Amino acid sequence: MPKVTVRYWAAAKAAAGIAEEPYDAATLAEALTAVRERHPGELARVLLRCSFLIDGDPVGTRGHETVRLAEGGTVEVLPPFAGG
């Protein structure tokens, strides 16, 4: 199972109470399930509005279960923000 870093930005960072943390996950869907289990409150709600970058590449409309994660990869969690 790949080890990845999940980085939170803006409202996601505030809701998580941490800037980044490690997870073991083979897909984006698995990583997000683990995040929701670890942070079941506000962060779980914020994730519904977020977009994601995997190693710098936008996920877009792809199904999260189809987005494979690589060992040492990074998942960026990007909430919508004013002016962007």
Side-chain angles (χ1 to χ4, degrees):
M1 179 90 48
K3 293 188 184 301
V4 299
T5 299
V6 176
R7 288 194 183 128
Y8 306 108
W9 296 96
K13 182 178 176 181
I18 191 168
E20 65 182 47
E21 57 190 346
Y23 284 94
D24 295 334
T27 66
L28 177 57
E30 289 177 12
L32 294 177
T33 295
V35 167
R36 287 182 188 100
E37 289 173 357
R38 190 176 291 176
H39 304 279
E42 181 62 20
L43 182 56
R45 287 185 288 281
V46 170
L47 289 176
L48 296 172
R49 299 182 306 274
C50 288
S51 58
F52 305 95
L53 298 177
I54 306 300
D55 299 327
D57 294 324
V59 170
T61 60
R62 291 182 286 163
H64 295 169
E65 67 283 350
T66 69
V67 179
R68 307 289 304 165
L69 303 177
E71 178 70 30
T74 302
V75 176
E76 308 276 351
V77 179
L78 306 168
F81 60 94

